[in-house]
């Protein structure tokens, strides 16, 4: 795909949400430069998949010369994606305001568990925490065993990666119209909350209690997995 060949992305993210977002951008043709920490190891082999179609550079952001290298790079890049705790990039001198002064057209996307503001912003968390707070776990699973143990990361991918890409591409359109970039604050918890798209109206408008084994999709109907040849 070559739809995004005009865009250059500077990727500071790690683990899954940010790297999967930049993978999608790279697959659409964007020029992605992955900033690696010195001594980074790929113990599970996951990075071989997430970092395909990307270039890479190793920088120690604790060193002043690395910070200066980033400032120089930003002059020619369209998008920055970072996944540090709130405030980390600001302390490094690489926050949105600092980099916007270098490149006013810069689109700056931050992905965190709970967003850049609010009482939870400094809390650590994982996918299971975010979908629990967002309410998705409360009516998934069974009454006997509790919330379902998902085999893939819902908040990381659907909440973080996909919403980040949507936000970034929307900001690209805004920049084409106005000439200015934007800061994008992706909270994986908030974005996961939006995934209650069917169940929330049932509760808010219909008064239906959202419980395991009560809804059409969670055991309240014949929607389930069955062995071939066996009747429910």
């Amino acid at each position: 795909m070559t739809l995004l060949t005009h865009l250059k992305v500077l990727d500071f993210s790690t683990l899954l949400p940010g790297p999967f977002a930049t993978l999608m951008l790279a697959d659409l043709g964007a020029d992605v430069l992955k900033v690696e920490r010195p001594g980074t190891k790929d113990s599970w082999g996951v990075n071989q998949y997430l970092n395909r179609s990307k270039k890479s550079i190793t920088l120690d952001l604790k060193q002043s010369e690395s910070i200066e290298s980033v400032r120089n790079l930003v002059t020619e890049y369209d998008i920055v994606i970072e996944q540090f705790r709130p405030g980390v990039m600001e302390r490094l001198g690489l926050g949105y305001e600092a980099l916007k002064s270098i490149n006013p057209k810069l689109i700056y996307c931050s992905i965190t568990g709970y967003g850049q503001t609010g009482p939870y912003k400094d809390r650590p968390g994982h996918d299971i925490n975010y979908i629990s707070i967002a309410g998705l776990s409360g009516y998934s699973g069974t009454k006997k065993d509790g919330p379902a143990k998902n085999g893939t990361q819902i908040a990381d991918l659907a909440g973080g990666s996909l919403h980040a890409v949507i936000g970034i591409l929307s900001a690209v359109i805004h920049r084409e119209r106005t000439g200015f970039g934007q800061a994008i604050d992706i909270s994986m918890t908030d974005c996961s909350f939006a995934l209650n798209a069917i169940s929330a109206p049932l509760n808010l408008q219909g008064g239906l209690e959202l419980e395991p084994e009560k809804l059409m999709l969670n055991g309240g109907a014949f929607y389930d997995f069955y062995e071939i040849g066996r009747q429910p």
Side-chain angles (χ1 to χ4, degrees):
M1 296 291 287
T2 59
L3 295 174
L4 303 182
T5 52
H6 62 297
L7 296 177
K8 298 183 70 174
V9 181
L10 195 57
D11 181 9
F12 291 91
S13 65
T14 58
L15 302 176
L16 182 59
F20 192 78
T22 55
L23 174 62
M24 286 189 283
L25 295 175
D27 283 345
L28 289 171
D31 182 355
V32 178
L33 180 62
K34 171 75 172 167
V35 178
E36 300 276 12
R37 300 175 183 177
T40 299
K41 296 181 179 180
D42 185 11
S43 55
W44 290 356
V46 176
N47 288 345
Q48 293 182 25
Y49 168 71
L50 292 175
N51 290 338
R52 62 178 170 81
S53 303
K54 304 176 187 178
K55 302 173 184 176
S56 66
I57 184 174
T58 300
L59 293 173
D60 183 354
L61 298 181
K62 296 179 180 179
Q63 304 298 322
S64 58
E65 57 267 26
S66 292
I67 299 299
E68 190 60 30
S69 295
V70 172
R71 291 176 176 273
N72 291 332
L73 284 170
V74 164
T75 61
E76 58 183 79
Y77 274 77
D78 303 283
I79 300 160
V80 163
I81 298 182
E82 62 94 7
Q83 200 176 304
F84 293 105
R85 297 186 307 277
V88 169
M89 288 292 271
E90 282 76 12
R91 290 194 292 271
L92 292 171
L94 301 176
Y96 173 64
E97 294 298 330
L99 298 187
K100 184 179 72 170
S101 66
I102 301 171
N103 181 0
K105 294 184 177 182
L106 185 68
I107 295 167
Y108 192 104
C109 180
S110 299
I111 304 174
T112 57
Y114 305 107
Q116 299 296 305
T117 59
Y120 280 25
K121 69 182 180 68
D122 294 320
R123 287 194 178 191
H126 295 281
D127 190 90
I128 196 170
N129 302 111
Y130 311 142
I131 61 174
S132 295
I133 295 175
L136 295 172
S137 297
Y139 55 88
S140 300
T142 64
K143 292 180 179 180
K144 177 183 177 181
D145 299 320
K149 300 176 183 66
N150 302 297
T152 191
Q153 294 92 330
I154 296 174
D156 286 4
L157 296 174
S161 306
L162 296 182
H163 281 83
V165 171
I166 293 169
I168 289 168
L169 295 182
S170 298
V172 169
I173 295 172
H174 175 269
R175 188 180 68 175
E176 290 175 350
R177 293 176 177 175
T178 67
F180 294 99
Q182 291 184 355
I184 302 169
D185 178 8
I186 297 294
S187 161
M188 287 184 275
T189 300
D190 291 352
C191 293
S192 295
F193 185 79
L195 301 179
N196 292 289
I198 295 179
S199 300
L202 295 176
N203 175 260
L204 297 174
Q205 298 178 16
L208 182 66
E209 290 296 324
L210 304 182
E211 300 176 358
E213 302 180 23
K214 291 290 186 179
L215 308 176
M216 181 179 70
L217 300 180
N218 72 355
F222 292 118
Y223 184 85
D224 206 337
F225 297 95
Y226 301 101
E227 290 184 33
I228 295 177
R230 297 189 61 178
Q231 298 296 320

